[in-house]
């Protein structure tokens, strides 16, 4: 049973997401200024903060098996927004180093990748190859890697081969993985990410639904 405090935290997350999503829709011209408020409340009462995503391949083993897994993904309208309200700048992150994220595939525009966020803007990147010069990730850049350390970089298909990717290409954080009907559990993310996701998991996690949508 979900506690009252967990419900309050969940509703707060839904409100934050709805405001961000409506603001984003307004900025790109999908809705008018008058429609923003209605859109916010519609998302709060009717929308969900998660969706299911099927992923397979050895890149993220053992968290996601080679045969594939059904993932519960927390939706993110923007990975790192900054708001300005009457000269007051409010900046906060929604993803953190250590999180398993889903992002647009930089090499296949219609596909998505599941990788772990290893570094964000301001981090200095140093290679084990002395021929490669160190560099610092610039604004809105991040570095993602596969979990499977046994793979060579070319097989892992991560930032070691395609380089930094925009933070804006991150669309969600993977918070739960179902490998089989009896083998499932929360994904190990950063401490901050798991704290933010705990009320979402408590309310929206549905193992039976994930099992029904499992392709294996």
């Amino acid at each position: 049973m979900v506690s009252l405090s967990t419900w309050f935290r969940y509703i707060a997350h839904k409100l934050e997401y709805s405001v961000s999503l409506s603001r984003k829709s307004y900025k790109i011209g999908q809705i008018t200024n008058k429609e923003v408020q209605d859109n916010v409340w519609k998302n709060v009462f009717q929308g969900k903060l998660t969706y299911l995503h099927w992923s397979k391949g050895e890149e993220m083993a053992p968290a996601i098996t080679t045969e594939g897994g059904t993932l519960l993904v927390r939706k993110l309208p923007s990975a790192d927004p900054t708001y300005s309200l009457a000269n007051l700048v409010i900046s906060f992150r929604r993803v953190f180093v250590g999180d398993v994220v889903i992002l647009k595939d930089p090499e296949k525009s219609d596909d998505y990748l599941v990788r772990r966020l290893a570094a964000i803007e301001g981090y200095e990147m140093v290679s084990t190859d002395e021929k490669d010069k160190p560099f610092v990730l610039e604004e809105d850049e991040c570095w993602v890697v596969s979990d499977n350390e046994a793979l060579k970089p070319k097989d892992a298909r991560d930032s070691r081969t395609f380089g930094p990717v925009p933070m804006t290409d991150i669309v969600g954080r993977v918070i739960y993985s179902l490998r089989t009907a009896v083998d499932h559990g929360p994904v190990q993310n950063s401490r901050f990410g798991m704290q933010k996701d705990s009320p979402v998991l408590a309310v929206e996690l549905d193992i039976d639904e994930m099992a029904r949508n499992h392709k294996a």
Side-chain angles (χ1 to χ4, degrees):
M1 185 174 179
V2 180
S3 68
L4 188 59
S5 62
T6 298
W7 270 107
F8 278 132
R9 290 172 59 203
Y10 171 71
I11 295 300
H13 283 308
K14 288 199 75 174
L15 182 59
E16 175 195 325
Y17 174 79
S18 299
V19 169
S20 300
L21 192 64
S22 298
R23 181 178 180 273
K24 183 177 180 181
S25 298
Y26 170 71
K27 287 184 67 177
I28 62 178
Q30 289 183 340
I31 59 176
T32 66
N33 188 44
K34 294 182 179 179
E35 295 173 317
V36 170
Q37 185 173 339
D38 289 341
N39 202 61
V40 168
W41 293 115
K42 179 181 178 181
N43 284 320
V44 168
F45 291 113
Q46 298 181 12
K48 294 185 68 174
L49 292 177
T50 60
Y51 67 94
L52 298 181
H53 176 79
W54 170 259
S55 178
K56 64 181 300 183
E58 56 185 342
E59 295 88 354
M60 292 302 291
I64 304 170
T65 62
T66 302
E67 292 75 20
T70 300
L71 309 178
L72 184 66
V73 180
R74 178 173 177 177
K75 296 182 284 189
L76 299 171
S78 178
D80 186 21
T82 299
Y83 299 136
S84 178
L85 300 174
N87 299 322
L88 174 63
V89 176
I90 304 173
S91 178
F92 56 92
R93 293 199 178 278
R94 293 200 178 96
V95 291
F96 308 90
V97 171
D99 288 347
V100 176
V101 297
I102 181 168
L103 67 151
K104 297 175 184 177
D105 190 329
E107 299 175 329
K108 300 177 182 178
S109 58
D110 294 332
D111 293 340
Y112 291 88
L113 294 177
V114 177
R115 297 291 185 268
R116 194 173 294 275
L117 185 62
I120 57 176
E121 61 181 71
Y123 276 55
E124 183 178 22
M125 308 305 296
V126 181
S127 173
T128 55
D129 189 340
E130 295 181 355
K131 297 179 181 179
D132 296 331
K133 294 182 179 179
F135 65 94
V136 176
L137 292 176
E138 299 180 359
E139 183 178 359
D140 188 43
E141 287 186 340
C142 65
W143 194 266
V144 295
V145 297
S146 70
D147 270 5
N148 192 342
E149 297 180 353
L151 294 179
K152 296 180 179 179
K154 65 177 182 178
D155 298 321
R157 290 200 62 230
D158 57 23
S159 287
R160 291 173 294 174
T161 55
F162 50 67
V165 294
M167 288 282 288
T168 48
D169 281 358
I170 296 175
V171 299
R173 177 168 49 241
V174 181
I175 62 177
Y176 202 91
S177 173
L178 184 142
R179 293 163 286 276
T180 69
V182 294
D183 181 13
H184 52 82
V187 171
Q188 186 64 43
N189 288 313
S190 69
R191 177 169 59 89
F192 300 106
M194 297 186 78
Q195 286 176 348
K196 281 179 171 286
D197 297 331
S198 60
V200 180
L201 268 177
V203 175
E204 294 196 7
L205 177 62
D206 187 336
I207 301 298
D208 292 336
E209 181 186 7
M210 293 184 72
R212 287 194 298 269
N213 285 274
H214 197 63
K215 297 182 180 181

